[in-house]
Amino acid sequence: MDSAEAHLYAQRWDAAIEVLESTLREIAINRVHFRAARLAIEHQLAAKSLALAYACTGRYDDAWRTMEELAGQDLLGDPPPRVDHSGAGFEGLGILMSLIGEALGGGGAAASSNRAPEPHWALHDSRARVGLLQILGHGSTSVMLLRTLGEDGTVTTRGVRREIDADLTDEAFTTFGGTTSADAANYLMSLDSGVVETTVARTRMAAAFARVAPLLVEPLRELLGGLHLRSIGICDDGTLNHFPFEALPWPDPTTPGQVLGDRYSVCFVPSAASGLPCRAWQRQERPRVLFVAYDGADLNTDRDIARMRELTGLDVTVMHTADCAKREILTELSKDYSLVHFSCHGRFDIFQPGRSALLLSEKARDVHHFDDQGLQEVEPGDQRYQLTSEDLEGIDMPGAPVVSLFACSSAASKSPMKFGFAGLPGAFLRAGASAVIGSRWSASNDLCFTLMSTMYAAINNGMPPGSAFFAARRTLPSTPEPTVFHQGLFCYIGAPDEETS
């Protein structure tokens, strides 16, 4: 790999391809020992580097194929659990979707699936409204691959290469919480229930976004030009995996101030290497909703509950955390709901993502005070009212619900995302959710109510939850804050429903 690294940094792509292909052949010969972590890591590095080298020489289909072959293998070489993804989001795209999970369509199969791929991935569906965006990078070289399905059923892979100052992307990675540096920890770890965004942190975020955004907009416009897409699934295991792509400025003379999230339904999807399942949301005539309401005067959950009960097309079960605790909620989550909604506080733990939690009551919130020597002490909140990522392990949500986490920091994940979206999003996906809606940082109670009210009103009128979320997000009121904090606040993790695509 040392010689391959030298070739990559020198941008000698053909030489790098020769070395990397040889490396992968040697690894394949030693497949029996693939459970060795060192060999597994070398396999991942070689495959991703080879994909980049292919892409840099214009061999876009080879680059995509290489990433597909990498799909389904974690660092120990074990495939993810086999899950029936029949009919899941992006229906009809088959193995084309294996980059973002196992078999995501009813017409194909991906790595570790029981079915073999059919010719041309069995692309029965003529819809051409979805694009999958994979971002590859090495040093200052960045390549975006976009794969789409044409109206005639053909699959097309486009690519665009740019030289981007690695320091800039590293800055964005650090600023938006992709590292355990002191700065990111100060930003992501809350002293109470959500994200503490100091003036310094917000200033730094706005500056990093302003510097990096122009570097992404140009290649994206080049890739998307001439395509009539509605949805873009973004997968990046690298330095931009925490970046709020929805907030990218998307200039349009007819729509001043437009951002990418206004033009496209942008969702974030785990790479196949993560092993996270992507299940289908099951449409029901009267969707069953589990609404978990925070107990505390600092959130106006009574208003949220009243609004939900106005929507007579939904079958709403409300759990007041004043009357129940974690054990009862976990039991209820294991029942057949098609939508799950949490209205509460949230906390992301960047050092121990499994301890990231939804705080269901005032009793759950940690108390900070100073001792006699002036040192800060923490009195942990009541654990019975803290629903952590670890608590969700082992439960199964049979209805494959869309889970809405209207809580601060609920969409935060520890990098790299390929290791399972460590944090609350990955925990809910592993438990069976078809998608997770959450907040990257702190969100005001009023803004959450506006989004929730608009989104569930649309679902009540028959719109599937993915489409309802994207439509509701586009109608959020304007704000004097920088665009990144407003348009990048809520994100959708998982494959969108079929109407979104």
Side-chain angles (χ1 to χ4, degrees):
M1 282 295 295
D2 290 341
S3 60
E5 284 281 312
H7 291 315
L8 291 170
Y9 276 111
Q11 299 191 2
R12 296 190 292 264
W13 308 118
D14 290 332
I17 288 172
E18 184 177 348
V19 173
L20 290 166
E21 287 179 338
S22 175
T23 300
L24 287 172
R25 282 195 297 270
E26 184 176 345
I27 291 174
I29 293 173
N30 293 285
R31 183 75 184 187
V32 67
H33 304 299
F34 196 58
R35 288 187 59 88
R38 182 194 61 78
L39 193 60
I41 293 171
E42 186 173 349
H43 173 262
Q44 287 222 353
L45 292 175
K48 291 180 179 179
S49 298
L50 180 59
L52 175 71
Y54 281 146
C56 288
T57 56
R59 297 168 61 178
Y60 300 131
D61 286 322
D62 285 338
W64 196 279
R65 173 185 53 78
T66 301
M67 294 301 292
E68 284 184 332
E69 290 174 353
L70 178 62
Q73 300 295 335
D74 66 15
L75 281 181
L76 296 179
D78 295 325
R82 291 183 177 179
V83 180
D84 180 11
H85 298 290
S86 178
F90 295 106
E91 186 176 3
L93 292 182
I95 197 173
L96 171 61
M97 298 303 300
S98 66
L99 183 62
I100 66 166
E102 292 182 71
L104 296 183
S112 76
S113 172
N114 290 317
R115 291 176 292 151
E118 300 173 30
H120 305 295
W121 303 291
L123 300 172
H124 317 301
D125 204 322
S126 61
R127 284 177 301 207
R129 310 303 296 272
V130 182
L132 291 179
L133 181 71
Q134 170 71 47
I135 302 175
L136 304 172
H138 190 283
S140 62
T141 302
S142 180
V143 176
M144 293 183 180
L145 295 178
L146 180 73
R147 204 157 214 202
T148 55
L149 171 65
E151 293 183 0
D152 59 353
T154 59
V155 176
T156 302
T157 309
R158 297 185 178 191
V160 60
R161 170 187 162 196
R162 290 290 186 273
E163 296 300 314
I164 299 178
D165 187 344
D167 290 339
L168 288 183
T169 54
D170 288 345
E171 178 185 354
F173 180 65
T174 301
T175 303
F176 287 97
T179 181
T180 55
S181 71
D183 290 327
N186 289 337
Y187 164 62
L188 281 172
M189 295 189 71
S190 171
L191 295 180
D192 47 24
S193 63
V195 174
V196 173
E197 294 125 351
T198 64
T199 301
V200 172
R202 285 207 163 207
T203 300
R204 185 176 180 188
M205 287 174 68
F209 185 81
R211 295 180 69 189
V212 175
L215 305 177
L216 301 176
V217 170
E218 181 191 354
L220 277 174
R221 290 183 75 87
E222 183 176 333
L223 278 179
L224 298 171
L227 299 177
H228 302 289
L229 303 180
R230 289 182 59 187
S231 300
I232 303 173
I234 297 178
C235 175
D236 179 23
D237 288 338
T239 56
L240 294 175
N241 57 23
H242 288 272
F243 196 79
F245 281 83
E246 309 99 317
L248 288 173
W250 204 251
D252 187 322
T254 63
T255 314
Q258 183 176 235
V259 296
L260 186 68
D262 295 328
R263 177 65 180 82
Y264 301 97
S265 298
V266 178
C267 61
F268 295 85
V269 288
S271 71
S274 72
L276 285 177
C278 287
R279 292 173 175 163
W281 184 74
Q282 304 299 320
R283 178 185 290 277
Q284 297 179 4
E285 184 175 346
R286 192 163 184 252
R288 295 190 66 205
V289 184
L290 174 62
F291 189 102
V292 182
Y294 175 82
D295 171 34
D298 53 323
L299 292 182
N300 189 3
T301 51
D302 288 341
R303 177 180 61 171
D304 299 349
I305 294 169
R307 178 62 179 133
M308 291 293 287
R309 284 181 169 156
E310 291 175 1
L311 306 175
T312 56
L314 303 177
D315 178 7
V316 182
T317 298
V318 176
M319 296 190 76
H320 293 272
T321 56
D323 306 320
C324 63
K326 174 165 44 184
R327 182 178 300 176
E328 291 83 4
I329 292 171
L330 288 171
T331 298
E332 199 68 20
L333 284 172
S334 299
K335 296 180 181 179
D336 188 13
Y337 287 99
S338 52
L339 296 163
V340 174
H341 182 95
F342 284 87
S343 182
C344 58
H345 286 294
R347 181 186 65 215
F348 176 66
D349 190 326
I350 197 169
F351 298 111
Q352 293 180 287
R355 301 303 306 277
S356 300
L358 296 170
L359 307 181
L360 308 174
S361 167
E362 285 182 322
K363 304 170 188 174
R365 301 175 70 174
D366 299 342
V367 177
H368 295 254
H369 58 87
F370 293 92
D371 62 17
D372 295 337
Q373 286 74 42
L375 299 176
Q376 189 177 72
E377 292 184 341
V378 179
E379 182 180 339
D382 192 330
Q383 301 299 303
R384 292 174 300 171
Y385 300 96
Q386 294 187 8
L387 184 63
T388 69
S389 301
E390 293 173 347
D391 292 328
L392 295 166
E393 294 178 4
I395 74 164
D396 176 56
M397 295 188 286
V402 171
V403 177
S404 299
L405 306 177
F406 280 50
C408 298
S409 312
S410 53
S413 297
K414 186 174 181 180
S415 175
M417 285 187 174
K418 67 183 176 185
F419 297 126
F421 279 71
L424 290 166
F428 276 106
L429 289 174
R430 280 186 288 274
S434 57
V436 176
I437 295 168
S439 168
R440 285 190 173 97
W441 37 77
S442 62
S444 72
N445 195 22
D446 288 341
L447 186 63
C448 285
F449 175 76
T450 300
L451 182 64
M452 182 208 82
S453 181
T454 307
M455 171 180 160
Y456 283 99
I459 296 173
N460 183 64
N461 291 329
M463 187 179 289
S467 301
F469 165 72
F470 291 120
R473 192 176 64 184
R474 294 184 182 110
T475 63
L476 288 178
S478 59
T479 172
E481 294 180 342
T483 302
V484 60
F485 302 114
H486 189 62
Q487 297 291 348
L489 174 57
F490 284 96
C491 63
Y492 187 100
I493 301 171
D497 49 64
E498 61 182 63
E499 290 191 23
T500 303
S501 59

